[in-house]
């Protein structure tokens, strides 16, 4: 059955092509497996709550914009009753009835790992589609000051403040000389845009929509993780060819269902910290049916995801076995009004067998954050750049300095291959069980060997995190992070000029932080880590019998290298094998944007040496130590790294880096 929807239709529409429904919600109440909902261009100011899902891949329910990006689902409503207040400040009185049971202007953002000290509400005010900055008082609105931690400081003087007055919300806003009744001014009034309120509504396709402006809440892994769009703990969704923007917190959620027992327990009951609560949440989910047959296996592809306050895509547990591909993810958390340990272009916990490929991450406070249980995760053929604060920005806190990829307290295997990591900080590696293969890396590795405990000063506080049965969700065990178990094959490292403002920030946090936030490119943060031969030679019967010499079980795990090349002062690790270090030639490296496409401008391939590099495959890399799982495809098949960033075939003696030949560096990257 095909149902039709048009915003210009009569309210008496029947869903036919001749008499379409007026709202998407009308179709969502009756669409059944195998049905398709075709939505005409127009603005749909509604919360779409699908009542039914499909049953399998062949019997899904599809919601399709008739014209790509022509149908707009928005959580906002226009406001045209502004009156002058003082100077450039206007005031509007909004009846609270429009909000129903959820008033975004009376709802404070809070939750586990949320650290912003300035109160923020889930509400927003938009001027011509762009969100203004919330002030903490009316006085700030009338006399706004530039907020220098924002990545767009010039716009920070456009501010608003709201207060409750009986049955109304009163909003004051400084429009800097513009008349709001003549501009497009909106406020978000709905919590979600396309999101079932029940779990288990699976096999839905959302295709070609613009979705924007929802009053979502903070989404940590120890709480109900909502998004403006998302499957809400189900299986088999496809979100494709959409533009997702201006969610107050998260754009798309592939995250966790509500567990009342563990809902923000750290910040509500106080007596258990977030790490223990997260372990509790994982075990509860396992008992309650979290498995490959019922949860995950979603696809998010070809979407433009931008200008969300917390994350472009968030997920814990619910995103397992998913594919995230060909998306443009940018300008996330740039306002810097939200802060905490759950921020990034993508922030995923338990990305088990998740494939993240051919995406473009830039201008995010952190591009990709894989936290806990990045087991079987593959990050491949992505372009990362400008995922640290711009020059001149006042860095808000130590979490917000950012990097292209952060992999945290996971046991792996986590595979990062054929990517361009071009930000000043390429990867924050507080983890083990990783493999970096055939990447171009122009930033540093930070926090190597650090950041895996809970900060207890009196007693040890290591984070014991789970690992799983390979390609399943069932928990196989728990272990702390020993660091190492890291592989670096056929990468090119190019040292960029080190930014003094980043050094100043690190030094302001103290010498200990500076040792974590290091800015030298290369594998040298692993200096002192053992080779595999040295490490495994410790385990002799005379060393282990009668439980003697237990310290060997808590040593750093080995580092494996081969085929890496270092330029411009990038430094190899002191146990590096089969590598080349060029201390003579100067490599230039930059990106050039051309009408939204990006090209690499470099002389790198004039100097890349040819030598006997390893041909990397699953078999040669062995197993991640703790889960005893190979670096392999989600179906258990082997990977042979014979294809490059563009999918082109490599020679038998492969060139280091993400390109099969130097000529490819001149092609458009995205």
């Amino acid at each position: 059955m095909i149902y039709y929807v048009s915003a210009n239709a009569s309210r008496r529409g029947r869903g036919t092509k001749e008499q379409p429904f007026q709202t998407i919600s009308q179709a969502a109440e009756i669409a059944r497996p195998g049905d398709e909902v075709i939505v005409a261009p127009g603005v749909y100011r509604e919360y779409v709550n699908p009542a039914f899902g499909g049953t399998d891949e062949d019997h899904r329910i599809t919601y399709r914009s008739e014209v790509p990006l022509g149908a707009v689902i928005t959580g906002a409503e226009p406001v045209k009753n502004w009156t002058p207040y003082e100077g450039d400040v206007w005031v509007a009185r909004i009846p609270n009835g429009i909000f129903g049971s959820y008033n975004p202007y009376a709802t404070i953002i809070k939750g586990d790992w949320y650290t912003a000290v300035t109160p923020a509400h889930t509400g927003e005010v938009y001027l011509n589609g762009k969100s203004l900055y919330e002030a903490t008082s009316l006085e700030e609105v009338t006399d706004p000051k530039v907020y220098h931690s924002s990545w767009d400081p010039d716009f920070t003087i456009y501010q608003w403040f709201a207060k409750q007055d009986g049955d109304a919300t009163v909003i004051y806003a400084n429009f800097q000389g513009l008349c709001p009744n003549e501009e497009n001014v909106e406020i978000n009034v709905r919590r979600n845009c396309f999101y079932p309120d029940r779990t288990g509504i699976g096999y839905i396709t959302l295709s070609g929509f613009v979705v924007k402006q929802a009053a979502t809440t903070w989404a940590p892994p120890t709480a109900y993780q909502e998004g403006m769009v998302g499957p809400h703990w189900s299986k088999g969704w496809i979100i494709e060819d959409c533009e997702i923007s201006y969610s107050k917190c998260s754009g798309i959620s592939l995250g966790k269902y509500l567990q009342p027992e563990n809902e923000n327990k750290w910040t509500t009951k106080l007596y258990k910290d977030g790490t223990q609560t997260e372990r509790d949440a994982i075990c509860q989910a396992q008992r309650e049916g979290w498995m490959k047959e019922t949860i995950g296996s979603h696809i998010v592809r070809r979407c433009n995801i931008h200008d969300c306050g917390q994350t472009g895509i968030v997920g814990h547990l619910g995103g397992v076995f998913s594919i995230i591909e060909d998306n443009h993810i940018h300008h996330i958390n740039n306002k810097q009004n939200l802060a905490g340990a759950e921020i990034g272009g993508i922030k995923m916990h338990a990305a088990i067998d998740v494939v993240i490929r051919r995406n473009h991450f830039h201008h995010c406070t952190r591009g990709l954050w894989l936290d806990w249980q990045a087991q079987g995760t593959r990050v491949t053929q992505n372009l990362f750049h400008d995922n640290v604060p711009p020059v001149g920005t006042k860095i808000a806190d130590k979490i917000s300095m950012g990097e292209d990829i952060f992999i945290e307290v996971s046991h792996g295997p986590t595979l990062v291959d054929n990517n361009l990591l071009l930000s000043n900080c390429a990867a924050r590696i507080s983890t083990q069980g990783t493999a970096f293969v055939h990447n171009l890396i122009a930033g540093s590795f930070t926090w190597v060997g650090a950041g895996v405990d809970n900060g207890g000063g009196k007693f040890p506080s290591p984070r014991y995190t789970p690992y799983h049965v390979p390609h399943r969700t069932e928990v196989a065990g728990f272990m702390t992070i020993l660091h190492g178990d890291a592989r670096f094959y056929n990468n090119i490292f190019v040292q960029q000029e080190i930014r003094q403002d980043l050094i100043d920030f690190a030094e302001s946090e103290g010498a200990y932080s500076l040792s974590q936030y290091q800015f030298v490119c290369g594998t040298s943060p692993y200096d002192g880590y053992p080779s595999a031969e040295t490490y495994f030679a410790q385990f002799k019967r005379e060393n282990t019998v009668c439980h003697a010499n237990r310290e060997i079980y808590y040593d750093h795990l080995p580092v494996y290298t081969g085929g890496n090349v270092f330029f411009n002062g990038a430094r190899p690790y002191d146990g590096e094998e089969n590598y080349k270090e060029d201390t003579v030639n100067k490599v230039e490296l930059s990106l050039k944007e051309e009408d939204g496409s990006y090209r690499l401008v470099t002389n790198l391939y004039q100097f890349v040496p040819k030598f006997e590099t390893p041909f990397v495959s699953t078999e040669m890399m062995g197993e991640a130590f703790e889960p005893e799982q190979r670096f392999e495809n989600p179906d258990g098949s082997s990977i042979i790294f014979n294809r490059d960033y563009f999918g082109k075939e490599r020679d038998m003696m492969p060139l280091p880096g993400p390109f099969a030949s130097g000529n490819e560096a001149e092609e458009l990257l995205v």
Side-chain angles (χ1 to χ4, degrees):
M1 185 76 179
I2 299 178
Y3 295 102
Y4 294 87
V5 178
S6 173
N8 298 319
S10 164
R11 64 179 182 176
R12 297 184 180 88
R14 302 169 62 182
T16 64
K17 192 170 186 177
E18 296 73 22
Q19 293 181 295
F21 289 133
Q22 190 180 66
T23 67
I24 304 170
S25 295
Q26 289 173 283
E29 291 174 359
I30 62 174
R32 296 296 200 279
D35 290 347
E36 185 172 13
V37 178
I38 305 296
V39 184
V43 177
Y44 298 84
R45 300 186 185 276
E46 56 178 306
Y47 161 46
V48 182
N49 178 15
F52 304 98
T55 54
D56 54 40
E57 286 292 347
D58 297 323
H59 301 88
R60 55 176 52 249
I61 300 176
T62 298
Y63 295 80
R64 189 181 310 281
S65 175
E66 183 180 34
V67 175
L69 305 182
V72 179
I73 306 173
T74 175
E77 293 288 342
V79 179
K80 292 296 184 184
N81 63 329
W82 296 96
T83 59
Y85 175 74
E86 177 184 317
D88 292 330
V89 179
W90 296 66
V91 61
R93 190 176 179 88
I94 312 298
N96 284 342
I98 195 171
F99 303 123
S101 61
Y102 180 84
N103 184 341
Y105 305 89
T107 304
I108 294 286
I109 295 176
K110 58 185 179 180
D112 292 352
W113 287 284
Y114 184 70
T115 61
V117 296
T118 302
H121 294 82
T122 60
E124 288 280 29
V125 177
Y126 304 93
L127 172 63
N128 298 323
K130 188 172 182 177
S131 63
L132 277 61
Y133 286 70
E134 182 178 4
T136 58
S137 68
L138 178 55
E139 290 72 25
E140 290 182 12
V141 177
T142 57
D143 185 23
K145 301 295 191 296
V146 173
Y147 178 50
H148 292 286
S149 291
S150 169
W151 292 22
D152 183 14
D154 292 343
F155 196 72
T156 61
I157 58 175
Y158 291 79
Q159 296 186 10
W160 65 270
F161 171 75
K163 67 178 185 179
Q164 298 302 306
D165 184 15
D167 293 331
T169 295
V170 181
I171 300 178
Y172 302 86
N174 192 324
F175 295 104
Q176 296 297 321
L178 296 176
C179 175
N181 296 320
E182 296 176 0
E183 307 292 331
N184 178 24
V185 177
E186 301 166 285
I187 62 170
N188 59 0
V189 303
R190 285 173 284 278
R191 185 168 177 169
N192 314 105
C193 287
F194 194 100
Y195 195 92
D197 65 0
R198 295 183 295 118
T199 62
I201 308 297
Y203 296 103
I204 284 178
T205 296
L206 184 73
S207 183
F209 289 84
V210 172
V211 189
K212 61 181 183 177
Q213 300 167 319
T216 50
T217 57
W218 186 249
T222 51
Y224 165 52
Q225 283 189 314
E226 68 173 3
M228 185 164 60
V229 179
H232 191 184
W233 201 249
S234 64
K235 186 173 180 179
W237 274 45
I238 298 174
I239 302 169
E240 63 182 12
D241 301 309
C242 292
E243 181 179 359
I244 309 288
S245 67
Y246 287 103
S247 174
K248 181 70 180 198
C249 287
S250 293
I252 296 173
S253 172
L254 306 179
K256 191 173 74 66
Y257 66 112
L258 176 64
Q259 296 175 340
E261 306 89 336
N262 293 308
E263 179 72 4
N264 286 313
K265 186 187 292 185
W266 189 13
T267 51
T268 53
K269 295 187 178 180
L270 306 179
Y271 58 80
K272 276 190 177 181
D273 76 0
T275 294
Q276 184 59 31
T277 303
E278 187 168 343
R279 281 190 287 257
D280 291 349
I282 292 165
C283 292
Q284 180 181 343
Q286 190 80 86
R287 294 193 305 271
E288 295 179 348
W290 177 49
M291 64 183 69
K292 188 172 186 177
E293 289 73 22
T294 56
I295 300 298
S297 297
H298 307 298
I299 299 174
V300 180
R301 61 190 176 201
R302 300 188 301 272
C303 291
N304 180 11
I305 305 169
H306 62 93
D307 289 290
C308 297
Q310 178 190 340
T311 64
I313 301 174
V314 73
H316 181 209
L317 307 176
V320 290
F321 315 113
S322 294
I323 298 173
I324 301 172
E325 62 184 4
D326 300 306
N327 300 288
H328 186 193
I329 302 172
H330 57 106
H331 295 93
I332 302 297
N333 189 237
N334 286 181
K335 293 175 75 172
Q336 289 286 287
N337 59 330
L338 307 183
E342 304 302 326
I343 283 171
I346 296 177
K347 174 65 193 285
M348 288 195 75
H349 291 74
I352 298 171
D353 281 2
V354 172
V355 177
I356 300 170
R357 64 190 177 202
R358 300 191 304 270
N359 302 284
H360 182 194
F361 296 84
H362 65 97
H363 292 91
C364 300
T365 303
R366 184 165 296 106
L368 169 64
W369 190 345
L370 299 170
D371 198 352
W372 290 51
Q373 305 149 274
Q375 182 169 334
T377 311
R378 185 178 184 185
V379 181
T380 182
Q381 299 173 296
N382 301 281
L383 171 62
F384 295 86
H385 63 92
D386 293 293
N387 293 308
V388 297
V391 174
T393 301
K394 181 180 179 181
I395 299 173
D397 61 55
K398 64 182 180 180
I399 294 177
S400 69
M401 186 160 76
E403 58 280 316
D404 288 329
I405 300 174
F406 183 6
I407 310 172
E408 186 176 12
V409 291
S410 294
H411 299 284
T414 309
L415 174 59
V416 180
D417 70 280
N418 288 300
N419 302 281
L420 282 74
L421 308 176
L422 303 182
S423 296
N424 297 87
C425 296
R428 182 168 170 172
I429 309 177
S430 299
T431 196
Q432 65 187 49
T434 57
F436 285 74
V437 180
H438 277 293
N439 301 286
L440 173 57
I441 300 172
S444 61
F445 293 153
T446 69
W447 289 67
V448 171
V452 300
D453 60 26
N454 276 335
K458 185 176 181 181
F459 298 110
S461 56
R463 281 190 282 178
Y464 283 82
T465 56
Y467 52 95
H468 300 261
V469 175
H471 312 299
R472 301 288 305 176
T473 60
E474 289 82 358
V475 174
F478 289 82
M479 184 54 185
T480 188
I481 302 300
L482 302 177
H483 303 285
D485 192 23
R487 295 148 179 82
F488 300 97
Y489 293 117
N490 294 352
N491 301 286
I492 297 176
F493 295 90
V494 180
Q495 177 71 57
Q496 301 183 74
E497 182 178 352
I498 299 175
R499 283 172 43 182
Q500 186 61 45
D501 62 330
L502 300 182
I503 294 176
D504 292 344
F505 167 74
E507 290 180 336
S508 72
E509 299 293 314
Y512 179 62
S513 290
L514 181 60
S515 68
Q516 297 168 333
Y517 286 117
Q518 71 91 32
F519 302 107
V520 175
C521 183
T523 54
S524 61
Y526 287 92
D527 285 353
Y529 280 67
S531 67
E533 182 180 6
T534 301
Y535 179 80
F536 290 108
Q538 302 175 94
F539 298 93
K540 299 176 181 177
R541 184 162 298 278
E542 58 268 27
N543 288 343
T544 58
V545 71
C546 299
H547 309 294
N549 202 19
R550 288 188 181 182
E551 64 269 18
I552 66 176
Y553 294 99
Y554 300 95
D555 194 1
H556 286 329
L557 296 168
V559 174
Y560 308 79
T561 62
N564 298 310
V565 182
F566 301 84
F567 289 100
N568 294 4
R571 298 177 190 167
Y573 127 86
D574 58 9
E576 194 89 26
E577 297 181 352
N578 185 27
Y579 69 99
K580 297 293 182 181
E581 184 177 8
D582 188 329
T583 60
V584 176
N585 297 297
K586 174 69 174 178
V587 169
E588 304 291 339
L589 201 65
S590 64
L591 283 178
K592 181 179 180 182
E593 183 181 1
E594 301 173 352
D595 299 323
S597 297
Y598 286 77
R599 188 186 304 276
L600 187 66
V601 179
T602 185
N603 62 347
L604 170 64
Y605 286 91
Q606 297 177 28
F607 310 122
V608 173
K610 290 188 176 182
F611 62 110
E612 194 170 331
T613 54
F615 204 106
V616 186
S617 65
T618 293
E619 280 69 24
M620 75 155 288
M621 287 195 293
E623 297 178 339
F625 180 83
E626 208 64 62
E628 300 176 354
Q629 179 180 334
R630 305 188 313 159
F631 293 81
E632 60 192 9
N633 287 310
D635 64 2
S637 62
S638 296
I639 301 171
I640 299 175
F641 293 87
N642 60 346
R643 298 284 174 177
D644 74 352
Y645 176 91
F646 293 106
K648 296 183 179 180
E649 192 168 2
R650 287 193 163 93
D651 292 337
M652 189 172 296
M653 194 73 71
L655 197 67
F659 306 130
S661 70
N663 296 331
E664 293 174 283
E666 301 176 2
E667 297 184 22
L668 290 177
L669 300 173
V670 291

